[in-house]
Amino acid sequence: MVRLFGPLVGLFFAIALLWSFGNGAYTAIKEPAAETAEHAFHLLPKDIKFASDGAFGKFDKAQLQRGFQVYKEVCSTCHSLKHVAFRDLAALGYSEAEVKAIAKQWGTKQPTFDVKTGERAERDNIPQDYFPTVYYAGQGVPPDLSLITKARHDGGAYVASLLTGYQEQPAELLKKFPDAKTPDGLYYNPYFANLNLSMPAPIAGDGQVTYSDGTTATVQQMSTDVAAFLIWTAEPKLDKRKQTGWAVLGFLLVATVLAYLAKKNVWANKH
Amino acid sequence: MSFPWANEYKPGNGLTQWLDEKLPLPRFVYNAVGAGYPVPRNLNYMWNFGVLAGFCLVLQIVTGVVLAMHYAANAGVAFDSVEHIMRDVNWGWMMRYAHANGASAFFVVVYLHIFRGFFYSSYKAPREMIWLLGVTIFLLMMATAFMGYVLPWGQMSFWGAKVITGLFGAIPLVGEPIQIWLLGGFAPDNAALNRFFSLHFLLPFVIAGVIILHIWALHIPGSSNPTGVEVKTESDTVPFHPYYTAKDGFGLGIFLLIYCAILFFAPNALGHPDNYIPANPLSTPAHIVPEWYFYPFYAILRAFTYDFFFIPAKLMGVLAMFGSILVWFFLPWLDTSPVRSGHYRPLFRKFFWFGLIPTMAVLFYCGGAPAAEPYVMISQVASIYYFAHFLIILPLVSSIEKPEPLPFSITEGVLGKDESAVLNAHPAAA
């Protein structure tokens, strides 16, 4: 029965597939899919290196602090960071008092609601608070940045490339795709998936942030620093993970060698 | 059943003797995976993957139970609770990465286990039942993994759930009501998330149950082996313990080295970035793809792009996708060659290495690629070969192929034809 029906079922699927294949090939030849501007002009992230890259990479705390400063002074106007708490900043090398001060001075306050009086008010942030929600009234929805570097391919490099990638729409693009002109209120950036985004270049010029550690704040420097900071917000346990990984691999290597010797010993008289 | 020369369990002390009379659990283990189970002496490293698959299941259950202590199956907070595990639960990041990559490891190991079965025709009589149970386990694994991927409630979770449950919508007439019934709504939402969590917790224990049947069925004829020649004498076998416990121990070490290297140094390499974006029913991702281990079957699903007479393309795709796995159930009766091992089947071997394996690789690649040309046409060609391989080529090869000569016995296969070598190795056999 199986040998009778098996080949018939196989033929059935094969013919149905051939039918799809033939139709698809016919369509592909007759009306080849038109190329799109997104496909032709979208760029993959630049090759940007971070201290945390690779199996031996570790966060550069000074860079993370600079990146945090960029986030605080530039990004936090529109973008929230809801999975990160102020207390987490201790991992960047800030002391307990500094964390308290950062939380207290944070511009967006925590909303409060008094259930007895029904009054709404605000209070200062404290270290155990998460970064407060940011309300944004303009065009577009600024995404929460906590996980942004894990939510994009090659996330750190993507963020740094996007921040430094704003430019005039190339004349060549408009010549090839006249309908693809960047609409008003959007900004051209070849590192963004559909080339046009609502966010104007947030880091517009050198010296926009005055680094407390004296590093020269070029656009490239600020972009890379904030990208490094966002790698940290997405994966705060990265250092601990790699450190644990080496210990685990070292143990396993020894255990595996012992297991191999044990196996060899057990099998010695059977080969 | 076992071979007559199997070692017999002897309780060592008063306690084990008492236990052996009341509940002979140590005897059971001794006969199942101890010195009381004679195994062919010539098993190569491809035979490690059964034990490794069992290890993966235990790993998934242990890490999964811990994760379930901290996870909240509610569409409003599921995503945040996963981030809570990653950031605030002690070693939570390790548990989650171990579980997510553990699923991938489980599939790698099981695929190798299955393809070992293909090459050595492990499904042939008298081992059909082991094979049928094995395919059942694989189907249960796929269901479990799919539902597990929905739980973090990211973009791919949501849209993956929508696409896969949408497959039931392809069933004529009753499809849509069935889809709504399965989801508990018109789209994946809280009801779906909750039942997926419930089933994701339940199914691994069902898998464990079927694994017990799988191993029980294995112990009736005993393990297959790379020559495909059945065990004849005592010199053909060695006791499972210490020989294969030692060999599996080494295999486990190699497995853990690779698994931990990924877990600790590239934990997101096998995942999809979109799943770090919270589920948003109003924003469809550019490319909806399942987890990598479903790519070949996803490619087959998407290969049907035009209605075939009165059968809608979508329904054809669904039939073919399920059919592509269900066909494995019929392998013992499609492949009728009396020779088991691919080592002694010249034609079968060619179709395996130059037909099936490249086809799987191509389907795998196309399943992860965007649904555009040329990937669709390539996966159509590969899908044709896939079905032809199992349903047309295998029966045909079985009837026209002239197998190469088999060794007389497993021992001869290992030690060569020299009789004295056999006798020297086993003076007791003289």
Side-chain angles (χ1 to χ4, degrees):
Chain A
M1 282 294 272
V2 172
R3 262 163 287 153
L4 181 69
F5 284 107
L8 289 178
V9 171
L11 277 175
F12 171 68
F13 281 127
I15 292 168
L17 281 161
L18 272 176
W19 174 249
S20 284
F21 181 84
N23 272 304
Y26 180 74
T27 313
I29 293 164
K30 221 178 158 206
E31 317 153 17
E35 208 187 8
T36 59
E38 289 90 340
H39 188 258
F41 285 86
H42 178 247
L43 296 178
L44 291 176
K46 298 175 197 167
D47 186 21
I48 295 171
K49 295 275 173 274
F50 292 93
S52 54
D53 287 348
F56 294 99
K58 285 176 79 167
F59 286 127
D60 172 353
K61 284 186 183 174
Q63 185 180 36
L64 296 189
Q65 291 199 3
R66 290 198 300 273
F68 171 60
Q69 200 184 338
V70 177
Y71 170 74
K72 186 170 83 174
E73 294 179 19
V74 182
C75 319
S76 70
T77 320
C78 310
H79 291 278
S80 57
L81 206 57
K82 67 173 188 173
H83 293 295
V84 183
F86 287 100
R87 61 179 156 80
D88 294 332
L89 294 174
L92 268 51
Y94 293 114
S95 69
E96 205 176 314
E98 285 172 314
V99 170
K100 263 188 186 159
I102 291 169
K104 197 174 161 58
Q105 290 155 13
W106 197 257
T108 313
K109 305 295 173 191
Q110 293 285 343
T112 59
F113 178 71
D114 190 328
V115 287
K116 291 278 193 297
T117 62
E119 271 177 55
R120 290 174 198 281
E122 282 181 341
R123 66 162 171 78
D124 287 342
N125 292 283
I126 50 173
Q128 57 263 48
D129 282 327
Y130 284 80
F131 277 81
T133 310
V134 180
Y135 297 97
Y136 179 76
Q139 192 187 354
V141 186
D144 182 87
L145 293 183
S146 317
L147 284 164
I148 201 78
T149 54
K150 268 156 79 173
R152 301 288 183 276
H153 279 289
D154 201 2
Y158 168 80
V159 169
S161 304
L162 189 82
L163 291 175
T164 53
Y166 285 89
Q167 54 182 260
E168 286 294 310
Q169 205 171 18
E172 195 192 338
L173 186 151
L174 289 173
K175 215 172 92 190
K176 254 176 109 177
F177 307 99
D179 298 340
K181 190 173 163 19
T182 300
D184 286 342
L186 297 187
Y187 303 88
Y188 181 81
N189 192 324
Y191 297 98
F192 193 67
N194 69 8
L195 305 179
N196 304 304
L197 75 167
S198 318
M199 175 171 75
I203 299 178
D206 293 348
Q208 188 169 344
V209 168
T210 309
Y211 279 135
S212 51
D213 68 355
T215 307
T216 315
T218 60
V219 171
Q220 182 66 53
Q221 181 71 43
M222 289 183 281
S223 304
T224 313
D225 286 349
V226 78
F229 171 71
L230 292 174
I231 294 176
W232 174 79
T233 62
E235 186 83 358
K237 301 295 165 68
L238 182 141
D239 282 351
K240 175 92 176 156
R241 166 159 67 75
K242 290 180 186 173
Q243 197 189 341
T244 312
W246 284 114
V248 168
L249 288 190
F251 168 81
L252 283 174
L253 199 66
V254 174
T256 306
V257 169
L258 288 178
Y260 175 70
L261 295 174
K263 185 255 163 192
K264 226 179 130 181
N265 194 13
V266 166
W267 280 86
N269 65 344
K270 290 289 175 192
H271 282 301
Chain B
M1 194 212 90
S2 182
F3 299 109
W5 55 84
N7 295 324
E8 213 211 327
Y9 174 71
K10 291 185 194 69
N13 56 39
L15 179 66
T16 47
Q17 212 164 353
W18 182 83
L19 202 59
D20 197 43
E21 286 162 16
K22 316 297 179 220
L23 180 73
L25 199 59
R27 177 183 294 272
F28 179 76
V29 173
Y30 183 91
N31 289 334
V33 289
Y37 178 42
V39 186
R41 61 187 292 171
N42 60 336
L43 304 189
N44 59 32
Y45 279 104
M46 285 310 290
W47 265 259
N48 278 44
F49 295 105
V51 165
L52 288 180
F55 176 84
C56 285
L57 179 71
V58 173
L59 179 80
Q60 289 305 82
I61 289 178
V62 171
T63 53
V65 165
V66 174
L67 288 172
M69 293 172 185
H70 301 278
Y71 169 78
N74 178 297
V77 295
F79 187 90
D80 292 351
S81 77
V82 171
E83 277 311 307
H84 161 69
I85 290 170
M86 293 297 287
R87 291 158 194 269
D88 294 332
V89 174
N90 290 333
W91 297 97
W93 58 270
M94 191 172 79
M95 283 294 160
R96 171 156 178 268
Y97 280 152
H99 196 72
N101 287 294
S104 289
F106 201 172
F107 273 94
V108 169
V109 163
V110 163
Y111 277 128
L112 288 167
H113 194 55
I114 292 171
F115 276 78
R116 189 267 292 168
F118 285 156
F119 185 77
Y120 293 103
S121 314
S122 300
Y123 43 76
K124 279 181 191 165
R127 296 187 181 79
E128 306 98 312
M129 185 51 83
I130 313 172
W131 178 259
L132 298 180
L133 290 165
V135 179
T136 308
I137 293 169
F138 180 67
L139 288 171
L140 286 168
M141 271 177 68
M142 293 180 90
T144 311
F146 158 66
M147 286 189 274
Y149 195 55
V150 176
L151 302 185
W153 209 238
Q155 273 289 67
M156 279 298 165
S157 299
F158 178 88
W159 291 95
K162 201 169 162 82
V163 169
I164 301 299
T165 55
L167 299 181
F168 291 93
I171 303 170
L173 301 175
V174 291
E176 206 174 320
I178 287 180
Q179 187 190 346
I180 292 169
W181 178 71
L182 284 174
L183 280 175
F186 298 103
D189 205 338
N190 210 35
L193 181 62
N194 263 295
R195 65 188 58 176
F196 279 14
F197 180 54
S198 173
L199 292 172
H200 183 71
F201 206 113
L202 168 71
L203 285 185
F205 297 97
V206 176
I207 292 177
V210 184
I211 287 178
I212 290 174
L213 300 181
H214 188 64
I215 298 173
W216 186 5
L218 170 72
H219 278 67
I220 292 172
S223 299
S224 65
N225 72 84
T227 61
V229 177
E230 286 295 323
V231 167
K232 290 195 168 75
T233 60
E234 188 175 358
S235 76
D236 288 346
T237 67
V238 290
F240 190 87
H241 179 73
Y243 289 96
Y244 286 108
T245 41
K247 195 166 182 168
D248 286 332
F250 174 54
L252 182 65
I254 298 289
F255 164 80
L256 283 175
L257 275 170
I258 299 169
Y259 166 69
C260 287
I262 294 172
L263 196 173
F264 289 104
F265 297 104
N268 292 308
L270 298 168
H272 199 289
D274 277 42
N275 227 26
Y276 280 110
I277 303 170
N280 181 357
L282 300 177
S283 154
T284 316
H287 304 300
I288 302 175
V289 287
E291 284 281 75
W292 70 265
Y293 35 77
F294 293 141
Y295 282 176
F297 307 105
Y298 195 55
I300 292 175
L301 171 75
R302 293 193 302 186
F304 293 83
T305 45
Y306 284 86
D307 294 354
F308 188 56
F309 295 108
F310 56 89
I311 310 174
K314 187 178 172 189
L315 178 59
M316 251 343 269
V318 172
L319 288 176
M321 186 181 70
F322 286 110
S324 67
I325 299 169
L326 294 181
V327 67
W328 295 355
F329 277 117
F330 298 95
L331 270 182
W333 299 279
L334 287 166
D335 178 1
T336 52
S337 167
V339 174
R340 295 196 184 89
S341 172
H343 286 307
Y344 305 100
R345 301 185 60 189
L347 200 53
F348 169 88
R349 198 164 57 214
K350 281 197 189 77
F351 279 107
F352 180 85
W353 287 118
F354 302 112
L356 185 62
I357 296 293
T359 299
M360 290 307 288
V362 166
L363 285 174
F364 176 81
Y365 184 81
C366 291
E373 298 303 355
Y375 304 114
V376 174
M377 282 162 78
I378 296 172
S379 49
Q380 282 159 349
V381 175
S383 303
I384 290 176
Y385 182 82
Y386 181 92
F387 285 106
H389 180 89
F390 289 113
L391 292 165
I392 299 168
I393 294 172
L394 268 191
L396 217 59
V397 164
S398 304
S399 53
I400 61 171
E401 177 182 58
K402 191 176 176 298
E404 288 158 3
L406 293 169
F408 170 73
S409 71
I410 292 171
T411 310
E412 188 192 283
V414 176
L415 299 173
K417 280 191 194 295
D418 185 1
E419 187 83 1
S420 63
V422 177
L423 292 178
N424 286 339
H426 303 279

